[in-house]
Amino acid sequence: MRWNNLYVAGVGTYLPERIETAAEAIADGRYTAERQAVNGYRSVRLAAPDETGPIMAAQAGRQAVARSGHASEEFGLVLHSYIGHQGLDLWTPASYVQRETVGGSAVAFEIKQGCNGMMAAVEVAASYLTSRPDITAALITGGDAFRMPFIDRWGSDEQTVEGDGAGALVLSTRAGFARVRATFSIGDSSLEPMGRAGNNWTDTPFQDGEPVGVAARKKSYLLAEDMDLEGAIDKISANVQLSLKQVLLEAEAELSDIRFFLHQNIADSIASHAIYGLLGVDRSTSTYDWGQGLGMVGTADPVIGLDHVIATRNPKPGDLAVLHGAGAGYVWTVAVLEFLETPEWND
């Protein structure tokens, strides 16, 4: 979708202070040197006991709102995304984030589609804002604290390692430091069983008391008798390529025009194949080497990456950035931003 008069007015990040290294996890028997060599993660951030996903999202949200220059009453929408447990069951974390950031009478919704949740929220918010002339701004947040025994950050998945933290972004129809040129999303529900295979339905959350077995589900999916592995890989690869091709087409840009390519902190083996090899992305345009010290921060990696390049790489007017997301289900969302100015936050 090509957008007109849609801007990014503010971004925010919250990362816990405590750091746990891959070497520490290996020494404790919670990770292996073999996985670390393939996946590349150096360390993750660990949330304190009182730092839940919504609490960290609210911290990042307050920073993004303050940087945006928008008054609380200008916000007509709050979207919150996440992957893991948010601290309470039968509760509304999006409304908590709203209460702790902009308050007011805006509607607050959750957007959940695995790791793609926050990028999906960007496209949903863009559609909402541009169809509602009475609303000026939307706050989008993503926050997660991955805790045992629900999720084993070093062992639930053989490739991805999860890190705690949050990101936030303010979309505006009034003004911002960057304009949203285009977004594009595509899904392929035929791949949905990859996140479910080998499991029975349960009556309650976390019924068996064991950490979520993402790797086991993938293995069950791949070992199914009717599984067409090459077909599944072809579908994923085709949609990764199509989503980038289409968003660049609608943004009237070429890959060579992109200064920053901000993708999720996936395992190095996946990034090397599915981003740098498959798409032809120059790794130096990404924040990935920096992100290997954070792990995959739930749904927030591309936005945290955007905040990082603003702080460290001096983006200039006219520079283009791609924010690239993918989530189990499968759904891909990609956005192209054009910097209009170099933000100088006064935090």
Side-chain angles (χ1 to χ4, degrees):
M1 179 70 184
R2 172 84 179 194
W3 300 103
N4 296 310
N5 303 316
L6 182 65
Y7 307 93
V8 178
V11 292
T13 298
Y14 182 83
L15 297 171
E17 292 184 3
R18 184 183 171 192
I19 297 173
E20 181 177 53
T21 67
E24 290 172 326
I26 292 169
D28 289 344
R30 292 178 288 116
Y31 200 43
T32 67
E34 292 76 16
R35 288 188 182 181
Q36 198 276 331
V38 172
N39 299 333
Y41 294 106
R42 300 186 305 274
S43 60
V44 296
R45 297 296 183 95
L46 298 184
D50 60 346
E51 290 177 321
T52 65
I55 285 176
M56 294 187 289
Q59 292 268 28
R62 285 191 288 270
Q63 184 179 55
V65 170
R67 289 171 167 179
S68 76
H70 284 62
S72 293
E73 57 267 22
E74 294 182 278
F75 287 82
L77 177 68
V78 176
L79 299 178
H80 177 60
S81 64
Y82 58 92
I83 297 174
H85 182 60
Q86 293 289 281
L88 290 172
D89 292 320
L90 294 178
W91 178 57
T92 54
S95 294
Y96 171 86
V97 171
Q98 177 185 359
R99 180 179 181 274
E100 294 294 314
T101 53
V102 297
S105 58
V107 294
F109 300 129
E110 297 177 15
I111 301 290
K112 292 193 69 179
Q113 194 61 33
C115 305
N116 193 50
M118 195 168 184
M119 286 302 301
V122 170
E123 183 152 58
V124 171
S127 301
Y128 193 92
L129 279 177
T130 55
S131 67
R132 293 283 302 271
D134 57 320
I135 294 174
T136 302
L139 173 63
I140 302 162
T141 64
D144 271 293
F146 298 98
R147 307 187 196 276
M148 286 286 283
F150 182 54
I151 293 179
D152 178 357
R153 73 178 73 247
W154 296 103
S156 282
D157 190 80
E158 290 185 349
Q159 295 172 307
T160 302
V161 171
E162 286 80 19
D164 300 340
L169 181 146
V170 172
L171 280 185
S172 170
T173 56
R174 188 182 76 198
F177 66 84
R179 73 182 181 100
V180 182
R181 277 202 186 185
T183 61
F184 181 78
S185 292
I186 188 171
D188 189 338
S189 60
S190 71
L191 297 167
E192 174 273 329
M194 189 179 297
R196 174 175 50 86
N199 280 241
N200 298 317
W201 304 116
T202 61
D203 295 325
T204 63
F206 196 43
Q207 182 166 288
D208 61 6
E210 296 294 328
V212 174
V214 177
R217 295 177 187 180
K218 289 180 183 178
K219 185 175 181 179
S220 294
Y221 175 75
L222 295 173
L223 292 178
E225 291 184 4
D226 59 348
M227 171 60 196
D228 178 5
L229 177 58
E230 290 187 4
I233 293 174
D234 288 345
K235 286 180 180 180
I236 293 172
S237 299
N239 282 303
V240 170
Q241 292 172 305
L242 175 61
S243 58
L244 179 60
K245 178 182 178 181
Q246 189 64 30
V247 80
L248 290 174
L249 178 66
E250 295 180 7
E252 298 180 353
E254 302 289 338
L255 182 59
S256 58
D257 299 327
I258 304 302
R259 182 177 175 194
F260 306 112
F261 197 100
L262 310 172
H263 62 85
Q264 295 155 308
N265 298 331
I266 49 182
D268 186 78
S269 55
I270 302 175
S272 295
H273 168 73
I275 302 294
Y276 311 126
L278 182 66
L279 299 178
V281 171
D282 183 345
R283 185 170 181 141
S284 68
T285 64
S286 77
T287 60
Y288 187 61
D289 292 328
W290 168 76
Q292 286 179 310
L294 301 178
M296 181 178 280
V297 186
T299 66
D301 290 339
V303 173
I304 292 173
L306 177 63
D307 197 8
H308 181 68
V309 299
I310 291 170
T312 63
R313 298 196 190 175
N314 191 32
K316 300 183 182 301
D319 284 346
L320 299 182
V322 166
L323 276 64
H324 185 281
Y330 260 77
V331 178
W332 296 262
T333 300
V334 190
V336 175
L337 310 182
E338 177 186 354
F339 280 90
L340 303 177
E341 61 185 55
T342 303
E344 294 184 2
W345 312 123
N346 185 16
D347 292 333

